[in-house]
Every structure is written in C-alpha cells, then in structure tokens.
Amino acid sequence: MAVYLNDVSRTFGEYLLIPGLTTKQCVPTNVSLKTPLVKHKVGEKPAIELNIPFVSAIMQSVSGPKLAIELARNGGLSFIFGSQPIASQADMVRKVKKFKAGFVISDSNLTPENTLADVIALVQRTEHSTIGVTDDGTPNGKLLGLVTSRDYRAEKDPLDRKVKDFMTPFSKLIVGDLGITLSEANQIIWDHKLNTLPIIDKDQKLQYFVFRKDYDNHRDNPKELSGSDKKLLVGAGINSRDYMERVPALVEAGVDVLCIDSSDGYSEWQQETLQWIKKTYGDKVLVGAGNVVDKEGFDYLVEAGADFIKVGIGGGSICITREQKGIGRGQATALIDVAQARDEYMEKTGIYVPICSDGGLVHDYHMVLALAMGADFLMMGRYFARFDESPTKKMKIGNNFVKEYWGEGSNRAKNWQRYDMGGSEALKFEEGVDSYVPYAGKMKDNLNLTLGKMIATMCSCGAITVPELQKNAKITLVSSTSIVEGGAHDVILKEQN
Ligand code: RVP
C-alpha cells in the first residue's frame, strides 16, 4: 500500500513569525547575516561562508557573469547556469574570477591604423569614451596609446584620420604596473589628475583600466564575497551526464563551488556524480546536490558526499513541474522536514550540512521565514531576474518596463538534461514557462531594501544572527481569513502612481 503523509503540504504564505523579546542588542547594526555554504564540523569554520544568505538560481535568464559579479560584490553567490556548452560556461566563470574591483578589462580597443570613423562607431556601440590602442586591437595587446573624447572633434576632423595621428602615445601616458593595489592606482590617478590609468604587464601589454569613479564604487561593498586571493567567489551548475568533462573544465576555470542541478535530485545519477567528484578531487571540489523535499532525499545525497543540499520541487515562480508530473511538496513543509533531517544528522555525526531553500520566495518576509524554518541560504530566480544585471532583455510593455524570465524546463531553455531521468531519450514536455517579470532597477538598491526589511524582522524576533533565528523563532500557522486581515482591508485605497 502507498505511504500517506498526513501532514498538509504548506507554503510560506501560510505562516507568520511571532515577535520574540527585542533586547537592546537587537539593533540593525548588530545583525549579521553570515551563513555557511558548505558542510563542516560543528564548531569549525566552513570552507565558504556567505555574507548574505542569497544565491542566484542556476538559470539562463538569471545567472550570467554580470549578475554573478554584482551579487558576489554584495556578499552572495551566483551559480552560473549549466544549460550551455562547457566552454562557454567555463568562460563565464573565468570572467567572474578575473574581475578585480576597480580593474576593468578594456572593452573598447583599436589599432593605430584604425580611423576616426572607427573610433566614432566604437564609441557609439560601447558607449565608453576611453579606447585602448594596442598593436593588435585586442584588450590585452601591447599598449601603444590611448584615445579619449578630448583627442578629436567628431564634427570637424576628417573621418579617415588615422588613430596614430591623434592618440596620446604610450611615451606620454602615465601607467601602473600589474600587481598594484586599487588604492595605489587611485593615488596615481589622484597625483596626476587622471581619469583613466592603464595597467600594463612587464611586456607593456594592456591588462586593465582603472577609472577614477570605480574607486568610490569599491568602497560601497564592505560585504564583498572574495577568497584570500581577493578574487570574487562564483559557483556553477552541473548535470549528471557530462560531469566528467564539465567539472574539470570548471575547476580549471577557477570555480569555487558546484551544484548538481535537477528538479528531482533523489536519484542514482546524482549519487554517481557526487561519488565521482569526491573520488577525483576529494574535498578540494565542493558540490551541492538536489533538489529534494524530504529526509530520505537529504540522507541519500549527504551519504553520497554532497556539501550542501537544495530543497524544493515545483515551488518556483516559472515552474509547472507539479502540474505536469504531479510531484512536489509545499515549500515550507519540505524545508521543515529536511531541516529536521539535517539537525538529526548533525546530532549523530557532528557534521553540519547546510540546506538551501530553492524557489517560491515571493515577499521579503518569506525569506526570513525560510531562514527561521532552518534554511541556511536561499536560492532565488524571479527576484534576481528583475534587475539590470540579469542577462535578459529589458522591454516596455504598455506603460511598464519588464524583463524576460524563463524556466530551465521551458522549451526556450532547451535544457532537457536537467529534467530527464538520465537516460538517452529526452522528455518531450515542458516543466517551465516563458514569462516577464517587472523590471526593478539596480540589484544593489533592491538588496538594500530587502536586507533592511529582513534585519528589521530579525530584530523583532530577538535574533541578531541566522543561527539564533533558527533556534529561537516562534512560527505560527495562519488561517485564510487572517491572511486577508494581514493586507490593507476595509478601506478604499487611494490610487497609486
Ligand atoms: P523562483 O525564485 O520562484 O523564480 O524559483 C527559481 C527556481 O525555480 C530555480 O532555482 C529552480 O529550482 C526552479 N526552476 C527553474 N526552472 C524551472 C522550470 O522550468 N520548471 N524551475
């Protein structure tokens, strides 16, 4: 006979937090959102800790290098999507690892033989006014000069004038040597009243530009998530089919952590993938697995060697797995069950395996609820897809700006590996939709607001750290009538602009 779970499967909107005693310690400046990303012995420091408990979803429409850089600069981590050729995913990882705050790889480059017409066309395309002149016109060629808008008059000068005739030649440039710090670069910029400082290696090859404005920008990111080499941390999604080729390429590119990406992770395919990674690399390569929704799934993947476990089936905003396959579980119930399994495992072994709540977070308070229910960090797609930094197009529909957002199980993503069962035949139905989300501007502004609200909620609950919240939160179920009471009600709302 089938096993029946008698508990109703519930989601975040059905719960509220009950305030705990807010002591005088509970002020926003004392709150830390630090949280472990990977398994570790109780009492020891994990190999990676996030500075904010957010990771971005392993999705084409979310986690490209631009978003990964911005999220890491703000204390979280992206998993670069795996539904692409191995070489292009490794390239995206490399882009994030190469990023040095304030050190920009030049995206506008020409040779001395190019013309003013080429300069004008390039400036129009990149919208950047500083052009590196290199021997071969590449970003890392031998630096021969610099062109800025002060070097030419677009209306008056002949368009066929050669770059070499109006660039500032190398002999007149102030440059910095590769290896100098950002504050040293800024000192040179300051001393010489420069706008741009080219950084070159010992062979005079252009490596980076440092722009005057970027130094201030860097100081805005005290939570930046970087390693001891100061490089930003980045993750990448993998699948249980081409891992023997994909993992080495990602490791070679410098990836910090991997995650096997599947809507249903309780499978022998994932077990094999985990075992191969651990056998090949030991603990040098960190890898999460999932998704699961109960204790059995958690125990199975932890036993196979997973460094964290991802929880959730069917709760994602673009996900129709529950409708299509009839599998899944309310996200809150799944999380509570897996968190209990994690705690039992910790009691038994002294090892803490972090869990990630993946998908279905709609309101900012859901994020605090998920942490209070035991999640160590949260994976979000819709939330990040709305920002400037996500890789998709911004469009205007009616009077509103939107960004595109599509599921990895949609035809558009063509990522059937993620949703099939590991056999050679791909499944022929969609588990995700193609959609729009309201455009929300810069990630940083939105994160500041969301984190500010979360911190306020934590203070109300009397918790100044994530573990304290997990230990002391009081959570109550709410009736559907009291959910109505929670919004504005029985008033006539004034029109909002
Ligand atoms: P959300 O944040 O609610 O948009 O959910 C994002 C999550 O949805 C992803 O991290 C992933 O687990 C899931 N997803 C992604 N694509 C699909 C699909 O096509 N069904 N689901």
Side-chain angles (χ1 to χ4, degrees):
M1 190 179 139
V3 173
Y4 287 86
L5 303 183
N6 290 322
D7 284 352
V8 176
S9 199
R10 297 189 185 277
T11 189
F12 299 119
E14 295 174 84
Y15 292 90
L16 282 177
L17 288 152
I18 294 186
L21 174 67
T22 304
T23 64
K24 289 181 190 159
Q25 285 295 307
C26 295
V27 288
T29 44
N30 284 345
V31 174
S32 160
L33 291 171
K34 259 189 186 297
T35 190
L37 182 79
V38 288
K39 82 179 168 205
H40 55 281
K41 285 209 183 99
V42 175
E44 288 184 4
K45 215 170 134 58
I48 303 180
E49 264 181 320
L50 299 170
N51 291 331
I52 63 168
F54 292 172
V55 298
S56 68
I58 311 169
M59 297 174 73
Q60 293 173 356
S61 49
V62 181
S63 295
K66 196 167 167 199
L67 189 124
I69 288 171
E70 187 59 11
L71 184 52
R73 295 188 80 191
N74 283 284
L77 182 110
S78 284
F79 286 90
I80 303 284
F81 61 94
S83 53
Q84 60 174 323
I86 294 172
S88 70
Q89 189 187 21
D91 222 45
M92 290 188 182
V93 167
R94 241 175 252 119
K95 275 205 177 112
V96 183
K97 295 309 290 181
K98 265 197 181 163
F99 177 85
K100 285 169 77 184
F103 291 79
V104 180
I105 295 175
S106 171
D107 71 351
S108 304
N109 306 286
L110 291 172
T111 70
E113 295 304 319
N114 282 104
T115 61
L116 178 57
D118 297 327
V119 169
I120 293 169
L122 188 60
V123 170
Q124 260 171 10
R125 184 159 56 78
T126 62
E127 295 181 0
H128 294 151
S129 57
T130 305
I131 295 173
V133 184
T134 55
D135 58 349
D136 55 4
T138 66
N140 299 122
K142 188 169 179 190
L143 183 66
L144 301 178
L146 208 63
V147 171
T148 72
S149 52
R150 280 182 293 191
D151 295 317
Y152 59 89
R153 291 168 302 176
E155 276 84 43
K156 291 203 169 156
D157 294 347
L159 289 176
D160 59 356
R161 207 172 158 210
K162 291 262 164 87
V163 164
K164 63 181 176 199
D165 296 330
F166 61 91
M167 69 183 189
T168 306
F170 183 76
S171 56
K172 294 208 176 129
L173 289 177
I174 308 281
V175 296
D177 291 330
L178 186 63
I180 63 169
T181 65
L182 189 57
S183 53
E184 286 164 349
N186 193 55
Q187 193 58 49
I188 301 175
I189 287 174
W190 186 256
D191 291 344
H192 297 273
K193 298 189 169 57
L194 304 174
N195 280 324
T196 311
L197 180 71
I199 306 292
I200 55 166
D201 69 5
K202 56 180 183 358
D203 300 321
Q204 203 180 310
K205 292 208 164 145
L206 177 62
Q207 300 298 312
Y208 303 103
F209 284 139
V210 176
F211 296 101
R212 175 179 282 266
K213 60 180 175 353
D214 281 339
Y215 184 67
D216 299 333
N217 195 357
H218 178 60
R219 288 199 295 204
D220 286 339
N221 293 297
K223 295 210 191 87
E224 187 161 285
L225 191 68
S226 48
S228 50
D229 55 5
K230 298 277 178 272
K231 291 182 182 165
L232 296 179
L233 300 196
V234 64
I238 58 170
N239 62 67
S240 52
R241 288 147 78 81
D242 64 14
Y243 57 90
M244 290 189 204
E245 293 88 49
R246 194 173 289 271
V247 172
L250 293 168
V251 170
E252 153 80 28
V255 77
D256 296 285
V257 55
L258 302 169
C259 184
I260 312 175
D261 183 30
S262 170
S263 61
D264 169 15
Y266 187 15
S267 74
E268 290 186 342
W269 309 112
Q270 290 219 0
Q271 182 195 48
E272 268 178 25
T273 309
L274 289 166
Q275 286 173 344
W276 182 85
I277 293 174
K278 290 299 171 187
K279 201 170 112 224
T280 313
Y281 297 99
D283 279 334
K284 280 206 210 90
V285 170
L286 302 166
V287 53
N291 287 7
V292 301
V293 288
D294 65 3
K295 175 179 163 51
E296 281 81 2
F298 172 90
D299 286 342
Y300 184 80
L301 294 178
V302 168
E303 211 45 57
D307 290 294
F308 66 85
I309 299 293
K310 209 144 66 69
V311 182
I313 297 182
S317 56
I318 32 52
C319 182
I320 51 171
T321 295
R322 292 185 197 164
E323 272 173 22
Q324 292 284 12
K325 286 173 68 182
I327 60 164
R329 196 173 194 191
Q331 184 64 13
T333 306
L335 188 57
I336 294 165
D337 199 3
V338 175
Q340 198 175 336
R342 188 261 325 273
D343 292 349
E344 281 167 17
Y345 186 83
M346 177 177 68
E347 290 293 312
K348 214 167 60 193
T349 63
I351 301 212
Y352 189 85
V353 183
I355 57 176
C356 167
S357 178
D358 177 15
L361 294 160
V362 180
H363 300 295
D364 294 343
Y365 84 88
H366 288 172
M367 301 171 193
V368 191
L369 261 174
L371 296 175
M373 287 172 175
D376 296 283
F377 57 100
L378 316 171
M379 178 171 273
M380 296 182 284
R382 187 196 58 84
Y383 180 81
F384 290 112
R386 300 171 305 145
F387 304 151
D388 281 325
E389 294 83 357
S390 80
T392 71
K393 269 196 296 222
K394 178 177 150 194
M395 304 161 79
K396 193 161 188 202
I397 296 195
N399 280 332
N400 300 312
F401 283 105
V402 294
K403 289 204 77 168
E404 291 188 289
Y405 179 44
W406 60 92
E408 287 293 290
S410 67
N411 269 339
R412 178 159 185 186
K414 294 204 184 349
N415 179 21
W416 294 110
Q417 286 163 327
R418 177 176 195 274
Y419 283 81
D420 73 23
M421 302 303 292
S424 57
E425 263 298 288
L427 295 184
K428 296 285 187 289
F429 57 89
E430 287 186 286
E431 284 185 59
V433 298
D434 192 354
S435 68
Y436 301 116
V437 285
Y439 166 67
K442 287 201 186 98
M443 180 197 296
K444 194 174 193 61
D445 297 339
N446 286 275
L447 275 182
N448 283 345
L449 188 64
T450 298
L451 295 172
K453 274 201 237 171
M454 289 175 71
I455 286 170
T457 309
M458 286 173 67
C459 290
S460 283
C461 293
I464 57 169
T465 64
V466 175
E468 259 180 46
L469 180 72
Q470 289 168 336
K471 193 156 156 255
N472 300 328
K474 275 198 274 178
I475 301 174
T476 181
L477 262 174
V478 286
S479 70
S480 42
T481 332
S482 60
I483 291 175
V484 174
E485 186 186 58
H489 61 92
D490 302 306
V491 293
I492 301 168
L493 281 181
K494 292 186 183 169
E495 264 185 38
Q496 291 181 344
N497 297 323

